[in-house]
Amino acid sequence: MPDDNAWENRDVSGRLVMEESLDDIRAAGSDLSGWRIWRSTIKTFNLNDCRFNNCWAHESQWRELTFDHCLCRYGFYSQCTFNKMSAESSFFNDSHFVDCRFEGSVGELNSFGLCGFENCRWSGSRLSEVSFIGTRWRGCLLEGESYSFVRFPSAVFVQARFVDCNLRKAIFRRAVFVACRFENCRLKEAVFHNARFVDTVFEGTDIHEAANLEGAEGLQW
Amino acid sequence: MVIADNLIFRRFTLGFARINGYLLAERESRQGVFIDPGGYNDLVASFIEEHQIELRHIFFTHGHIDHMAGLEEFRRRYAVRCCAGKEEVRAASRILHGGERIELAGFNFTALSTAGHTPGGISYYCRKVGVFTGDALFSGSVGGTGSALEGQLQLEQVRRNIFSLPDETLVFPGHGPLTTVAAERYGNPFFS
């Protein structure tokens, strides 16, 4: 009997998912680009070697979402919750996230380059070697995040709060922080080379833990 | 990763330096190339066997040991032809200077000179896939060089040969996360 939830080398692009619940989808080598998702719940969604480009999602819940070697570029997601997302060797570049929640994510060697995050909340993530190069963050909360070699070069943070984060070896080279707060964060071996700080506060956070502050401007001691 | 419909693609973490090695194969002919054999492990072996890949080529971005430590194991197991820049890899039977075309089962690669990190550093560009930069370009960074002049040369070569590629081109570096030409051109602080 065919397994309707196992999609191998299939073109399932352009699908509309409206007030639906999808559960236990396993896709390999398939094209899921152009999906439009509205007020839906998607649970246990495993994408391996798939395209998931140009997706649009609003007011949707994603649980146990797994991306392995996937292209997920040019997406727009608003009021979505991503719970226990796992991603490896995948591209999420040039996507935009508004009022989204990322809870308990794990990731390695992914790229979120040039993405935008507005009023988003990341909590409890464990990320290693993930690139957020050139990203824009406005009004975001990053809480209980744990990073290793996560890269934010040339990122711009406006009114962002980092709370109880372990930003070990995070790279903020040439990043800009405007009206941001670091609260009870660990910055051991983090890099802020040529970073710029405007009205940014460090509370319970020792900026001197950083390995490189050369060229950093606007730090308030 | 379904970058192209007829492509089998995989990134592997290899060797003592945990470099990125990449396997590409054409889906019908199963002919493939491995880029930077920094090690050989069970994951590589089982992937090649499971997908019945006939490994034909090894491309080296440069000749540092962390990018070629698995070479002997690859050569022992597969009849591969090695391509590398001048004076980078002794086992190379095809020496590249930049500008050469290499055709592999419908995938046309162009060798791009990205000297600096090493004198004969080469990046490999395939329009359908992306560009494999080795240590010439990382996400938000570049590989180290032995002198300021070599560093300057590396930046010039990346600007000329990598940043001239289309914005949406995927970049597969030798270490660290994947990226794109646009993200690096606009966000890499070493090119500001």
Side-chain angles (χ1 to χ4, degrees):
Chain A
M1 190 172 166
D3 182 350
D4 288 342
N5 287 352
W7 302 341
E8 189 156 351
N9 301 322
R10 281 175 56 176
D11 182 353
V12 283
S13 58
R15 182 166 171 177
L16 284 177
V17 182
M18 312 282 277
E19 297 186 309
E20 286 184 51
S21 288
L22 299 180
D23 193 1
D24 194 23
I25 301 292
R26 301 174 304 284
S30 297
D31 188 355
L32 298 83
S33 296
W35 277 34
R36 302 289 181 264
I37 302 160
W38 187 69
R39 289 187 178 171
S40 294
T41 299
I42 296 174
K43 187 182 172 192
T44 317
F45 199 58
N46 295 317
L47 305 187
N48 193 319
D49 295 295
C50 288
R51 282 189 208 128
F52 198 54
N53 293 327
N54 297 102
C55 283
W56 177 94
H58 179 66
E59 270 190 59
S60 294
Q61 313 294 314
W62 308 71
R63 294 177 197 155
E64 296 172 24
L65 179 61
T66 301
F67 296 105
D68 187 1
H69 284 77
C70 289
L71 287 177
C72 315
R73 303 169 72 185
Y74 314 118
F76 184 86
Y77 302 86
S78 57
Q79 297 180 43
C80 289
T81 299
F82 300 89
N83 184 262
K84 292 185 180 173
M85 180 173 85
S86 171
E88 184 187 335
S89 303
S90 294
F91 289 89
F92 301 89
N93 297 57
D94 305 284
S95 295
H96 208 77
F97 301 87
V98 180
D99 296 319
C100 290
R101 304 285 177 266
F102 298 84
E103 299 168 346
S105 305
V106 293
E108 186 176 24
L109 293 158
N110 305 298
S111 179
F112 285 85
L114 304 181
C115 283
F117 299 91
E118 290 185 46
N119 299 313
C120 290
R121 176 177 173 164
W122 286 73
S123 58
S125 303
R126 301 287 177 270
L127 305 182
S128 171
E129 297 260 31
V130 174
S131 177
F132 290 91
I133 185 170
T135 46
R136 290 94 57 205
W137 303 72
R138 194 176 69 181
C140 295
L141 171 64
L142 297 93
E143 188 172 25
E145 296 281 281
S146 180
Y147 297 158
S148 178
F149 285 112
V150 173
R151 308 173 186 209
F152 297 88
S154 304
V156 177
F157 297 87
V158 177
Q159 295 176 322
R161 283 178 68 207
F162 295 82
V163 179
D164 296 324
C165 292
N166 183 355
L167 305 175
R168 178 175 163 265
K169 295 185 178 177
I171 299 171
F172 294 97
R173 200 181 289 272
R174 215 166 178 265
V176 175
F177 300 87
V178 179
C180 294
R181 293 180 69 86
F182 288 81
E183 302 172 26
N184 303 315
C185 291
R186 295 197 58 198
L187 302 177
K188 193 172 181 183
E189 297 179 67
V191 173
F192 290 92
H193 185 260
N194 284 343
R196 293 178 66 186
F197 299 87
V198 179
D199 297 331
T200 290
V201 174
F202 295 87
E203 188 178 289
T205 301
D206 183 4
I207 184 69
H208 294 99
E209 281 190 320
N212 190 339
L213 288 169
E214 191 182 335
E217 293 179 12
L219 279 170
Q220 297 172 347
W221 307 106
Chain B
M1 188 177 290
V2 185
I3 300 169
D5 288 331
N6 50 349
L7 177 73
I8 297 169
F9 178 90
R10 204 71 185 173
R11 186 202 65 80
F12 297 95
T13 300
L14 297 175
F16 62 94
R18 297 180 57 77
I19 73 140
N20 293 325
Y22 300 97
L23 175 64
L24 296 83
E26 202 267 335
R27 196 171 286 279
E28 282 184 20
S29 69
R30 300 283 159 171
Q31 293 178 6
V33 56
F34 202 97
I35 300 175
D36 282 354
Y40 189 87
N41 58 32
D42 291 345
L43 288 176
V44 176
S46 60
F47 190 89
I48 289 174
E49 187 179 336
E50 181 187 339
H51 291 83
Q52 300 175 316
I53 291 166
E54 182 190 337
L55 205 57
R56 287 281 188 95
H57 285 79
I58 291 183
F59 293 170
F60 294 89
T61 57
H62 63 294
H64 282 166
I65 186 63
D66 57 333
H67 289 255
M68 53 182 291
L71 172 60
E72 288 314 309
E73 194 61 32
F74 273 94
R75 291 180 80 189
R76 196 175 67 77
R77 291 168 177 257
Y78 314 105
V80 288
R81 185 182 185 198
C82 298
C83 301
K86 187 182 177 186
E87 294 180 5
E88 291 286 329
V89 177
R90 189 169 297 176
S93 57
R94 183 167 183 190
I95 304 301
L96 306 169
H97 300 85
E100 296 90 347
R101 298 285 174 94
I102 309 166
E103 189 177 334
L104 178 73
F107 290 99
N108 293 308
F109 288 88
T110 303
L112 305 171
S113 173
T114 41
H117 180 67
T118 62
I122 294 287
S123 294
Y124 298 89
Y125 171 61
C126 176
R127 190 180 57 80
K128 292 178 183 173
V129 182
V131 62
F132 298 83
T133 58
D135 293 0
L137 176 66
F138 302 139
S139 182
S141 185
V142 291
T145 56
S147 70
L149 278 178
E150 288 168 343
Q152 193 178 347
L153 172 66
Q154 182 171 338
L155 298 185
E156 287 170 7
Q157 297 256 298
V158 169
R159 275 199 188 97
R160 183 184 307 134
N161 294 327
I162 305 295
F163 289 177
S164 57
L165 299 174
D167 265 357
E168 65 274 16
T169 303
L170 304 179
V171 176
F172 301 98
H175 298 266
L178 316 179
T179 185
T180 64
V181 164
E184 297 311 311
R185 183 189 291 144
Y186 299 115
N188 192 317
F190 288 81
F191 296 91
S192 304

